[in-house]
Amino acid sequence: MNNRLETLESILKRLRFSIRQHGLKNSKQREEIISVLYKSGTHLSPEEIAANLRVRDKSTSISSVYRILGFLEKEHFITALEPGKTGRRYEIAAKEHHDHIICLHCGDIQEFVDEEIESRQIEVAKAHKAKLVSHDMRLFVICHKCQQHIKD
């Protein structure tokens, strides 16, 4: 699902501005993590991100990756999902709204957009005399592939 609202360069410009605002030194690793997540187009674990970074820099530490992910999430550059036993997975926040289907067995995450569900959520909020500001829908499933393995 390619539903990006923003280019990688635009996100990196915002990141550099945020770093200056916080009085931090510019860090190549922060930009590399954003780049890895942006280019992957999927949901990655901290370990997958670190492994990707180690291809270019063998000294990349998992503790640095976790620390940077915390900063990037707090500053709304990335969002985290916790699909269950597979641990937190991250994606770029600069995407159009979408929802997630998460397999509880293998941790696979699929993104989807359903206009009927979106419309219905707005109607439900209005029926409660409220204005929908945001929502996060996650459907927890056992995917088709895992269902086949479980039967065997």
Side-chain angles (χ1 to χ4, degrees):
M1 174 176 270
N2 187 359
N3 54 2
R4 296 202 176 96
L5 290 172
E6 198 173 0
T7 65
L8 176 57
E9 192 51 46
S10 172
I11 296 167
L12 293 176
K13 271 186 186 171
R14 285 190 307 108
L15 175 62
R16 291 175 197 126
F17 179 77
S18 176
I19 289 166
R20 281 193 309 273
Q21 292 284 94
H22 285 86
L24 302 171
K25 289 182 180 178
N26 205 10
S27 159
K28 187 105 176 109
Q29 238 181 4
R30 286 186 197 105
E31 292 188 16
E32 287 173 350
I33 288 173
I34 290 283
S35 182
V36 164
L37 283 168
Y38 188 91
K39 290 174 182 173
S40 79
T42 188
H43 308 82
L44 299 177
S45 70
E47 292 75 17
E48 290 167 328
I49 294 166
N52 196 303
L53 295 177
R54 283 190 192 111
V55 170
R56 291 182 293 278
D57 180 0
K58 300 275 187 244
S59 68
T60 299
S61 76
I62 191 69
S63 61
S64 290
V65 170
Y66 273 105
R67 184 178 39 75
I68 292 168
L69 288 170
F71 170 80
L72 294 174
E73 185 178 11
K74 185 174 82 73
E75 295 299 310
H76 307 289
F77 287 98
I78 61 173
T79 55
L81 282 173
E82 292 198 45
K85 64 184 176 183
T86 59
R88 287 175 81 101
R89 301 183 76 76
Y90 295 87
E91 68 178 334
I92 290 290
K95 296 169 90 174
E96 288 184 45
H97 171 75
H98 59 276
D99 296 305
H100 296 95
I101 296 175
I102 303 167
C103 179
L104 291 172
H105 195 262
C106 69
D108 183 52
I109 301 170
Q110 300 290 317
E111 296 177 353
F112 74 96
V113 175
D114 184 308
E115 294 305 324
E116 192 174 329
I117 290 172
E118 297 302 315
S119 176
R120 186 72 183 109
Q121 289 173 337
I122 293 167
E123 290 171 20
V124 168
K126 283 182 183 175
H128 287 86
K129 296 182 172 64
K131 179 183 176 192
L132 183 63
V133 176
S134 176
H135 76 277
D136 175 22
M137 177 183 253
R138 291 176 286 164
L139 303 177
F140 295 96
V141 303
I142 304 297
C143 72
H144 180 72
K145 191 169 53 177
C146 290
Q147 289 177 49
Q148 297 304 317
H149 290 351
I150 292 170
K151 286 181 185 177
D152 296 342

